[in-house]
Amino acid sequence: MPQTDQFSYQGLFAKSAPKEPPRAATAERAKYDFAVAYPDPESLPLDDLVESLKLALDEEGKDLAVYPHQMGYPPLREYVASKLARDRQMSVTADDIILADGSSQPLHMVGESLLDHGDVVLTEEFVYMGTLGMLRRFGADIRGVECDEDGLLPDALEGAITRAIGQGKKPKFIYTIPTFQNPLGWTMTLERRQALVELSQRYDIPVLEDDCYVDLRFEGESVPAIHSLDDTGRVMYAGSFSKIIAPGMRLGYLTGPQELLDVARATKSGGGVNQFAALAVHRYAMSGLDAHIEESKGILRTKRDAMLAALGENFGTAAKWSTPEGGLYIWLEMPEGADLVAARDVAFEAEVGYTPGSLFAPDGTSGKNTARLCFGYNTPQEIHEGIAKLAEVFAREGMLIG
Ligand SMILES: Cc1ncc(COP(=O)(O)O)c(C=O)c1O
């Protein structure tokens, strides 16, 4: 029957409502899926999580009848604080931690707490799309700062700061993913972190450190958290269980000075985080998580090695790529003039998915000749096959000349 009285929300949407729909809720996936960052599906600790949940529910399941603590399940906040102290030398207590839906929500909370339309935010020249989306949502003037394989270039950062100040637009904060950067793959060195803290203190600009990959180091020395290098409260820090357990758990956290946390907490509606998930993750974190992280790192290392070897075999000297010491991403750089935005659909037809680099650019267009390749999902054998297919596609498109 034709709907004659169909109601329309057009005209009712808030001025601040998102103008663009988000990515399709269930995006189509390629067989060789290097596009999205999934953990290895085969090694998800499902049995251990079920057991942990059962244990927790036996002990305190009836508490699910009441709303959880607004900052999130206290024992899990205790665990996070002690993990940050143990692994990142950060001096925080459970009262300094807010649990949230992954680390996306903490980033959003910071954006909502600090950003007015037009505020300048400085960040790496290519950066996680979710953060870009959030910053755009709050109308931020996002300025990418030049990096090399050691991280943000201090001179470039200072130049961006003084330029913005000269325009009467002192940056609200600096956002960085210093460890196994998404999408670039590098880890910011200690010297660069110290320089960043020094600039933050000198110009009075806070830093938002997004460290969701830090536990996935399978090579090289750990580098101290930026948060641990500052004792002035200028560094906010977001972390997540997504990359060490599973994104489906939707659990992460934010820490920072209390005055920031108080406002951030007020931006979060809904009353605490999912207690059901928090109970399972807490019991699991107290027992099997460290061993699981070790196992995941071994698997990821094998997959990274498979991708590096396949790139070497199939791309030779025709392209450049990063060699990350951890995390999930390799950054591929084809010669200037290559258009990996246009080639994405062709690659998808050939069953290979990747994310064009320009989607990570604050201006949305730079880096057409680049792409992010995730090595977390497919098996090493599939990675070899997929990279070979990708090279075939690029050769057919006239982009692989070497
Ligand atoms: C750098 C970075 N930050 C935050 C997130 C958000 O992840 P989650 O909300 O699942 O913790 C991601 C996801 O890929 C990411 O790459």
Side-chain angles (χ1 to χ4, degrees):
M1 215 167 55
Q3 298 278 349
T4 49
D5 190 26
Q6 198 60 28
F7 183 71
S8 170
Y9 286 84
Q10 290 308 324
L12 293 183
F13 290 116
K15 288 188 198 64
S16 61
K19 303 287 175 281
E20 300 285 326
R23 279 181 297 165
T26 47
E28 262 192 289
R29 293 191 28 208
K31 174 175 176 191
Y32 305 103
D33 193 354
F34 309 138
V36 184
Y38 305 109
D40 178 70
E42 300 308 321
S43 56
L44 291 184
L46 301 179
D47 291 344
D48 288 348
L49 282 168
V50 169
E51 217 171 281
S52 302
L53 177 64
K54 166 107 184 51
L55 184 71
L57 290 179
D58 285 347
E59 286 171 3
E60 42 187 312
K62 293 200 171 107
D63 290 351
L64 289 176
V66 295
Y67 279 91
H69 192 293
Q70 210 202 0
M71 311 250 297
Y73 183 50
L76 186 56
R77 288 191 285 119
E78 291 282 352
Y79 168 81
V80 169
S82 63
K83 184 175 188 316
L84 293 176
R86 182 193 73 182
D87 297 345
R88 308 301 293 138
Q89 287 72 53
M90 287 166 54
S91 48
V92 287
T93 69
D95 291 340
D96 304 317
I97 307 289
I98 302 181
L99 296 178
D101 297 351
S103 49
S104 314
Q105 192 180 37
L107 303 179
H108 194 98
M109 287 155 71
V110 171
E112 191 166 350
S113 301
L114 296 182
L115 291 177
D116 287 313
H117 201 93
D119 279 347
V120 170
V121 174
L122 301 179
T123 184
E124 283 111 11
E125 56 192 336
F126 295 97
V127 80
Y128 169 53
M129 283 187 285
T131 302
L132 285 181
M134 178 280 284
L135 294 173
R136 288 180 184 132
R137 168 100 179 75
F138 291 113
D141 174 352
I142 315 165
R143 302 189 181 180
V145 175
E146 204 187 331
C147 307
D148 64 13
E149 63 283 359
D150 289 339
L152 279 166
L153 285 162
D155 287 350
L157 182 58
E158 183 164 16
I161 292 172
T162 51
R163 221 170 7 264
I165 290 175
Q167 295 163 344
K169 295 175 81 175
K170 180 171 163 178
K172 264 292 170 68
F173 60 89
I174 301 162
Y175 169 77
T176 179
I177 308 164
T179 316
F180 316 132
Q181 207 265 6
N182 178 9
L184 296 164
W186 47 246
T187 293
M188 196 186 295
T189 60
L190 175 59
E191 293 69 28
R192 292 284 175 87
R193 289 172 195 236
Q194 285 163 332
L196 172 56
V197 168
E198 199 275 314
L199 288 170
S200 152
Q201 295 180 355
R202 176 141 50 97
Y203 289 96
D204 249 331
I205 300 170
V207 174
L208 174 54
E209 178 176 18
D210 181 352
D211 219 11
C212 65
Y213 297 102
V214 69
D215 292 304
L216 302 178
R217 173 176 289 283
F218 37 75
E219 205 168 86
E221 290 295 308
S222 165
V223 187
I226 297 169
H227 185 284
S228 72
L229 303 174
D230 169 73
D231 55 6
T232 68
R234 283 182 176 80
V235 184
M236 306 165 276
Y237 183 98
S240 181
F241 288 99
S242 288
K243 312 296 171 184
I244 50 175
I245 300 184
M249 298 309 292
R250 303 314 302 132
L251 271 180
Y253 45 90
L254 173 69
T255 188
Q258 280 301 329
E259 64 174 346
L260 182 269
L261 293 187
D262 285 346
V263 176
R265 198 153 49 91
T267 66
K268 188 170 162 306
S269 47
V273 289
N274 185 331
Q275 182 92 342
F276 197 67
L279 285 168
V281 165
H282 173 256
R283 295 308 191 279
Y284 180 59
M286 301 302 286
S287 54
L289 179 57
D290 284 347
H292 175 64
I293 291 173
E294 281 312 308
E295 186 195 346
S296 307
K297 289 194 293 193
I299 293 169
L300 285 176
R301 182 193 196 119
T302 308
K303 292 185 175 195
R304 179 209 59 174
D305 289 346
M307 191 171 273
L308 289 175
L311 285 167
E313 283 156 26
N314 293 283
F315 285 76
T317 54
K320 289 194 287 191
W321 53 88
S322 61
T323 303
E325 293 183 331
L328 293 166
Y329 311 111
I330 288 177
W331 182 247
L332 178 71
E333 209 177 319
M334 299 296 293
E336 279 305 324
D339 186 349
L340 303 201
V341 179
R344 177 169 59 169
D345 289 347
V346 190
F348 197 83
E349 290 285 300
E351 301 187 295
V352 186
Y354 65 83
T355 308
S358 51
L359 294 185
F360 303 95
D363 66 9
T365 55
S366 305
K368 273 201 168 142
N369 59 323
T370 60
R372 187 192 71 175
L373 303 173
C374 302
F375 49 81
Y377 187 72
N378 291 102
T379 63
Q381 175 62 31
E382 288 166 349
I383 289 173
H384 274 282
E385 292 165 13
I387 293 293
K389 277 180 180 273
L390 188 65
E392 276 169 31
V393 169
F394 286 0
R396 270 207 311 276
E397 297 295 299
M399 298 191 301
L400 194 66
I401 305 148

